[in-house]
Amino acid sequence: FINKKKNGELFYLKDKIVPVKTPDNKQYYISIATDISNEFMLKKKLKKAQNTDLLTGLLNRNGFIVTLNDKVDPEKTYALIVVDIKDFKMINQIFSRKTGDNFLLKIANTLNEHFKNAVIARVGADDFAVFFEYKTLDELYGKIEELIEEFKNINLNGIDLSINIGVALYPKDDIDFAQ
């Protein structure tokens, strides 16, 4: 049950109602309740963690697939762009994990700013995916070219970003997001 405290704050109860008969055959009900607000919030956080990349706040691979399965309209055309950072392992090894994390955050922010109505996820250690609707191939190519230009401007501690980009079209190329 969801209940409300006197101050208006909501809390969650696990409640069991037990019937009790008195010796004179009257029936009463006793409610035995436990506040499970903390457990409820932990379950909510766990569910979010299962679908969210903790560093970037973007969806993770699992969250990406679940979201796309719920969101896709088979009558529309979509593009899936996958961005892979070249030599990311070397960035972590040479410059530090913190520098690598900063690169990942910059990429996540760039993708969020560039694609306003897209589903964006970090699907691997150094891989990002963007799924969005497009109307024409010219519009799609334009978005990709703009993105490449934005990535050229990402520089951290004198390190330039180098990426690979792959594109697949839905439903033309495939309809299974898990592959």
Side-chain angles (χ1 to χ4, degrees):
F1 292 111
I2 299 174
N3 210 338
K4 190 184 282 189
K5 295 179 181 179
K6 289 181 183 179
N7 66 4
E9 181 184 342
L10 296 179
F11 65 101
Y12 298 86
L13 286 176
K14 180 178 180 182
D15 197 3
K16 183 172 185 174
I17 299 174
V18 181
V20 177
K21 283 192 176 183
T22 62
D24 57 353
N25 229 9
K26 290 184 182 178
Q27 183 143 347
Y28 295 94
Y29 296 90
I30 297 175
S31 173
I32 303 168
T34 304
D35 183 346
I36 58 166
S37 298
N38 288 339
E39 291 87 344
F40 183 81
M41 292 304 170
L42 286 173
K43 280 184 184 178
K44 205 171 177 180
K45 285 180 182 179
L46 179 61
K47 186 172 183 173
K48 183 177 180 184
Q50 288 174 333
N51 293 318
T52 305
D53 176 60
L54 298 178
L55 175 67
T56 63
L58 297 174
L59 293 170
N60 61 19
R61 186 176 191 281
N62 184 59
F64 188 67
I65 292 167
V66 168
T67 300
L68 293 185
N69 284 329
D70 292 341
K71 195 170 188 145
V72 171
D73 180 348
E75 301 299 315
K76 296 181 180 178
T77 55
Y78 298 92
L80 171 66
I81 296 175
V82 177
V83 177
D84 172 66
I85 304 169
K86 287 185 186 176
D87 301 321
F88 183 70
K89 187 175 179 180
M90 286 178 45
I91 291 171
N92 277 338
Q93 290 174 344
I94 295 170
F95 298 101
S96 82
R97 193 169 198 74
K98 184 175 181 180
T99 300
D101 287 352
N102 287 335
F103 258 122
L104 295 172
L105 289 168
K106 281 195 173 218
I107 291 169
N109 290 337
T110 300
L111 291 172
N112 274 325
E113 289 170 13
H114 189 73
F115 294 98
K116 297 292 183 196
N117 296 316
V119 179
I120 304 170
R122 181 174 170 208
V123 293
D126 62 348
D127 300 322
F128 292 83
V130 181
F131 189 82
F132 63 99
E133 182 184 354
Y134 71 95
K135 302 285 186 224
T136 67
L137 286 176
D138 286 338
E139 173 192 356
L140 174 61
Y141 295 143
K143 288 293 266 183
I144 293 169
E145 286 174 4
E146 290 169 7
L147 183 63
I148 290 169
E149 287 303 311
E150 288 182 42
F151 279 147
K152 284 181 183 177
N153 295 324
I154 296 178
N155 179 295
L156 198 62
N157 301 338
I159 309 164
D160 290 324
L161 178 65
S162 183
I163 58 167
N164 292 316
I165 293 181
V167 181
L169 306 179
Y170 174 92
K172 183 181 176 202
D173 294 329
D174 204 344
I175 58 171
D176 184 3
F177 304 113
Q179 292 183 1

